[in-house]
Amino acid sequence: APALDVAGIRAQFPILERQVHGHPLIYFDNAATSQTPLAVIDTFRDYYSRYNANIHRGLHTLADEATAAYEATRDTVRAFLGAAERREIVFTRGTTEAINLVAHSWGRANLKEGDEVLVSLLEHHSNIVPWQLLAGQLGIVVKVIPVDERGVLDLDAYRALFTERTKLVAVNHVSNAFGTVNPVREMATVAHERGALILIDGAQAAPHQKIDVREIDADFYAFSGHKVYGPTGAGVLYGKAELLEAMPPWQGGGEMIKSVSFDVPTIFADVPHKFEAGTPAIAEVIALGVALDWVADVGIERIGAWEAALLQQATDAVSRIDGLRILGTAPDKAGVLSFVVEGAHSQDIALLIDQLGVAIRTGNHCAQPLLAHFGVTATCRASFAVYNTLEEVEIFTAALERVIGMVR
Ligand code: PMP
């Protein structure tokens, strides 16, 4: 395969031309949200200039065009995830809504008091709190898969957590806080052997590696468009067809019914429409399709390989900084470098490095239990995307050293 043309890629991202506080922007907050290429940005102008219409109910040209484009993204996502059927793809606002959909619909229909859901210590709050809400409402029990000192899930402990009451494993594919890549295929096999389902939060995996839900044998898989070079407001829940078929709707309204009556029971639409009540984020979903096409054009394997090179160089460079501790040292990591510095508050580092044009994130990364386990309340996190360069990593490292010198 030809080498990645990073300059050519960067030219497609207008935001990368920005200056921040008089410095060229170095955007290392890609795990929070990635930037969008022109092809995605242009989709909005095109949609609102030419065929803005509500979908699925029109019998007019604009409605047909909007519906076709919206539904075309479903095919694109099906291929992106390696799913068998397009009806297994449900559009949501993002990963959070996808997980909440499963909790509300599948959870309420299938879980009873005393049933157990396993989550991992590496989870984002969006894959913890929906299950805690169900614990409060239904009396289910949420159990936690522990991690070792590298931030790697303890698979022996995972196996030992199962009981005959275990109904679901909810785990991320890649940790947003540490970058750990979890062995979800193996975890799915274990879950299925024990009669449980597995829901995988793929928010941080989708931008970095090839996903194949059938190879993993995922029952549910969620991701967000805005972390894969797409817009906010559009995300995906994949669910196996037979599971989605059996699940009740979670929101009622237009678009999700076949017939509504006060006299006989209302009949719901077939999947996936049963789970897409109301007018969706039409332009966003169409733009998500454009983003995934863009990713496919660049090549997800090449994107992952380039980010691995960036991560390696950044890890080597910051490791030389006195008093800097990297959190998350798993052998298999994607795109994320989390660290704390002795004698320097993470927030001060992030604020000062922003003055030099470098955008990194500080805070708990919506993973408070994980950070508490490692004895910190916040880390600095640099996270990479395909348009980042080794030169940016060098500038970042120098800026970091300078900033640490200022605050210590
Ligand atoms: N899970 C993980 C691992 C994430 O990184 C994120 C976003 N930070 C989410 C879930 C939530 O995604 P969203 O806010 O797009 O719903």
Side-chain angles (χ1 to χ4, degrees):
L4 204 62
D5 173 16
V6 180
I9 286 170
R10 289 181 67 85
Q12 299 176 53
F13 289 81
I15 207 166
L16 298 178
E17 287 156 28
R18 252 204 81 156
Q19 304 267 314
V20 171
H21 301 300
H23 300 274
L25 168 68
I26 294 182
Y27 187 77
F28 281 176
D29 194 18
N30 295 287
T33 201
S34 52
Q35 301 301 343
T36 44
L38 273 173
V40 172
I41 299 169
D42 289 347
T43 303
F44 285 89
R45 190 183 179 97
D46 186 44
Y47 173 79
Y48 286 110
S49 308
R50 295 202 309 109
Y51 63 105
N52 175 32
N54 213 328
I55 54 169
H56 294 142
R57 18 177 138 147
L59 264 175
H60 62 78
T61 302
L62 269 56
D64 286 347
E65 289 177 10
T67 304
Y70 178 90
E71 288 300 328
T73 295
R74 217 183 292 277
D75 294 311
T76 306
V77 173
R78 187 207 62 72
F80 180 75
L81 292 177
E85 299 178 55
R86 64 193 313 281
R87 68 187 173 127
E88 298 180 312
I89 307 302
V90 178
F91 291 121
T92 64
R93 281 198 299 127
T95 305
T96 303
E97 191 174 73
I99 297 170
N100 277 277
L101 191 167
V102 176
H104 275 256
S105 170
W106 181 86
R108 284 164 190 271
N110 291 281
L111 298 176
K112 291 189 287 295
E113 185 175 352
D115 283 345
E116 296 164 2
V117 172
L118 307 187
V119 302
S120 90
L121 191 57
L122 288 172
E123 294 321 300
H124 187 278
H125 296 160
S126 63
N127 202 18
I128 298 174
V129 182
W131 310 113
Q132 289 179 330
L133 290 174
L134 277 191
Q137 290 153 358
L138 303 178
I140 66 161
V141 179
V142 178
K143 292 166 116 185
V144 185
I145 308 160
V147 299
D148 69 13
E149 67 291 345
R150 302 167 300 169
V152 174
L153 291 182
D154 179 339
L155 288 190
D156 290 330
Y158 168 60
R159 283 192 194 85
L161 279 174
F162 282 86
T163 73
E164 67 283 355
R165 300 301 305 267
T166 310
K167 295 291 181 339
L168 179 75
V169 175
V171 68
N172 61 40
H173 196 165
V174 172
S175 153
N176 65 304
F178 285 7
T180 313
V181 180
N182 293 317
V184 288
R185 184 165 184 263
E186 194 180 339
M187 294 178 78
T189 303
V190 174
H192 293 146
E193 278 168 9
R194 304 302 299 264
L197 299 184
I198 188 162
L199 173 149
I200 298 165
D201 166 358
Q204 295 295 338
H208 307 300
Q209 63 185 80
K210 175 91 194 89
I211 312 286
D212 187 333
V213 290
R214 275 185 288 177
E215 203 252 339
I216 297 167
D217 201 11
D219 297 296
F220 299 107
Y221 197 100
F223 76 94
S224 300
H226 70 94
K227 296 183 198 276
V228 203
Y229 309 103
T232 55
V236 169
L237 173 70
Y238 159 83
K240 284 181 180 165
E242 66 270 23
L243 291 171
L244 294 179
E245 290 285 359
M247 282 159 54
W250 75 308
Q251 290 179 338
E255 308 257 14
M256 55 74 71
I257 47 83
K258 273 186 182 148
S259 72
V260 178
S261 160
F262 287 117
D263 304 319
V264 295
T266 286
I267 300 171
F268 303 125
D270 294 330
V271 294
H273 306 292
K274 183 169 74 175
F275 298 109
E276 295 179 6
T279 302
I282 301 168
E284 285 78 359
V285 166
I286 296 169
L288 168 61
V290 173
L292 296 182
D293 284 342
W294 187 87
V295 166
D297 278 350
V298 178
I300 189 73
E301 280 88 1
R302 279 199 275 161
I303 292 174
W306 179 240
E307 289 166 347
L310 295 167
L311 179 64
Q312 185 63 55
Q313 164 146 333
T315 303
D316 291 348
V318 306
S319 298
R320 290 192 283 270
I321 298 177
D322 189 39
L324 185 145
R325 169 184 169 212
I326 296 174
L327 288 98
T329 50
D332 196 4
K333 273 180 68 167
V336 169
L337 179 63
S338 235
F339 58 89
V340 291
V341 182
E342 218 176 83
H345 281 294
S346 296
Q347 204 183 341
D348 294 339
I349 293 175
L351 283 172
L352 286 168
I353 209 165
D354 176 65
Q355 294 294 316
L356 301 172
V358 183
I360 61 169
R361 184 148 295 245
T362 182
N364 60 53
H365 316 299
C366 297
Q368 286 180 12
L370 177 68
L371 266 57
H373 178 77
F374 280 80
V376 297
T377 53
T379 76
C380 290
R381 182 185 72 185
S383 54
F384 308 106
V386 66
Y387 41 68
N388 291 131
T389 66
L390 295 169
E391 192 195 351
E392 287 182 318
V393 171
E394 268 174 43
I395 297 169
F396 155 72
T397 315
L400 183 61
E401 283 177 307
R402 200 172 137 197
V403 161
I404 292 169
M406 288 161 71
V407 296
R408 259 210 296 235

